[in-house]
Structures are given as structure tokens and as C-alpha cells.
């Protein structure tokens, strides 16, 4: 009988340990934290890159050999709020230019690389990166881009652009990068 009780305690103990191990590490998910992250990202040191309000941006540089002249100076990195996969309004103009280019060049292909910050589990961040890439993909297809021209991939938290453990780094890592093949 004591072996039976020991087995029950072992099952209960292991279950409690498993539940505790699966709990999320992000505890500040309220809207004030999201706004704080966005505000502090606007004050990011320009060492990360040069862009509007000191935000890190990548743009396509004019190159006559690639035929991407219409995309010269257009942003290729799009940022997201904490735990969200909604395309920000300030991203829509640049995405419309990418869509126009892809519609007028049916042979062009684009890879949308979704990323997340380090908060949350690895699996959750992979799914979040995928949701962000698919949100950009949906936006482009609504603009008339063929789904066959778009590939989405998620890197989750595995390819950070900023290695800090603060709201500035987290904001820079919540992104989708547009890469042409």
C-alpha cells in the first residue's frame, strides 16, 4: 500500500513540476506596457540603424541591374506591438509599394521572415513569428499579389537584431523582414 501512495505522490509532484515549467515568463502584458515599449523604442540609440524616429529600418537601395528601381528607399522591416500580429498603420504605405512591385512583376518572389522577442516560450515565439509573417502576406494578397509569389517563414526568437534584455531590444526584435529572391 505504501508503494501505491508513493506512486501517487510522484505523479502529483511531476505534474506540478510540468505545469510550473510551462508557465509563461512574460508577466507585463497590459496595454500600458505595450505603449511603454513603443515609446521607448522610438528613443532607441541610433547605433541600431538610421530611420524615422531613430527606429531601425532597412531599405532597398536603387540597383539598375535588379529592376527594383520602383522600390528604392522603401522599408523592408516592419515592426509589431508586444504579443500582436496586426500590421501597424504606418507600415501600410511601404507595403502598398511592395505589393505594386510584385503585381507588376509576376516573376518576382518574396520571403517574409517573422521574428519575435525573447519573452515567451520558444514554441510560442515561433508561432507568433509565423502569425506576423502571415499578416503581412495577407495584406499583400489583399493588394493583389499572387499567393504563389509569397513565402512565409518564422524564426521566432532565434535571430534577434538586438541582443539586449530591455524594452528597446524587444521592440526591435518584434518584426517581419521582407526579402526578395
Amino acid at each position: 500500500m505504501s508503494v501505491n501512495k508513493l506512486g501517487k505522490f510522484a505523479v502529483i509532484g511531476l505534474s506540478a513540476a510540468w505545469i510550473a515549467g510551462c508557465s509563461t515568463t512574460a508577466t507585463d502584458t497590459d496595454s500600458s506596457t505595450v505603449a511603454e515599449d513603443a515609446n521607448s523604442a522610438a528613443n532607441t540609440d541610433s547605433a541600431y540603424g538610421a530611420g524615422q524616429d531613430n527606429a531601425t529600418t532597412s531599405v532597398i537601395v536603387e540597383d539598375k541591374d535588379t529592376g527594383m528601381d520602383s522600390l528604392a528607399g522603401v522599408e523592408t522591416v516592419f515592426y509589431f506591438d508586444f504579443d500582436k500580429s496586426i500590421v501597424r498603420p504606418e507600415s501600410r504605405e511601404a507595403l502598398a509599394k511592395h505589393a505594386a512591385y510584385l503585381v507588376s512583376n509576376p516573376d518576382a518572389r518574396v520571403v517574409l521572415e517573422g521574428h519575435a522577442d525573447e519573452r515567451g516560450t520558444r514554441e510560442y515565439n515561433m508561432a507568433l513569428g509565423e502569425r506576423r509573417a502571415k499578416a503581412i502576406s495577407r495584406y499583400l494578397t489583399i493588394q493583389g499579389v499572387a499567393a504563389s509569389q509569397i513565402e512565409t517563414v518564422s524564426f521566432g526568437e532565434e535571430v534577434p537584431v538586438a541582443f539586449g534584455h530591455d524594452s528597446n531590444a524587444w521592440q526591435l526584435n518584434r518584426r517581419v523582414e521582407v526579402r526578395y529572391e
Side-chain angles (χ1 to χ4, degrees), residues 48-111:
Y48 290 116
Q52 186 176 17
D53 297 328
N54 287 333
T56 302
T57 58
S58 293
V59 296
I60 296 175
V61 179
E62 187 173 351
D63 185 359
K64 304 232 188 281
D65 295 336
T66 63
M68 297 178 68
D69 298 339
S70 63
L71 289 178
V74 177
E75 291 181 25
T76 59
V77 179
F78 301 96
Y79 297 98
F80 291 82
D81 291 329
F82 174 71
D83 203 27
K84 301 285 186 221
S85 57
I86 299 170
V87 178
R88 289 181 175 173
E90 61 266 20
S91 301
R92 293 179 183 154
E93 182 180 345
L95 287 170
K97 291 178 182 177
H98 286 287
Y101 174 79
L102 289 165
V103 167
S104 63
N105 295 284
D107 292 333
R109 302 282 182 264
V110 69
V111 178

Side-chain angles (χ1 to χ4, degrees), residues 87-159:
V87 178
R88 289 181 175 173
E90 61 266 20
S91 301
R92 293 179 183 154
E93 182 180 345
L95 287 170
K97 291 178 182 177
H98 286 287
Y101 174 79
L102 289 165
V103 167
S104 63
N105 295 284
D107 292 333
R109 302 282 182 264
V110 69
V111 178
L112 304 174
E113 300 175 348
H115 300 271
D117 61 34
E118 65 186 357
R119 298 176 288 181
T121 65
R122 184 172 184 258
E123 294 80 13
Y124 182 82
N125 287 336
M126 289 294 283
L128 181 58
E130 183 176 356
R131 285 196 312 269
R132 289 174 173 163
K134 289 193 180 294
I136 299 287
S137 175
R138 278 191 307 273
Y139 189 87
L140 293 174
T141 54
I142 288 170
Q143 299 294 318
V145 177
S148 61
Q149 291 179 274
I150 303 170
E151 179 184 346
T152 60
V153 64
S154 176
F155 289 106
E157 63 187 75
E158 303 300 319
V159 187

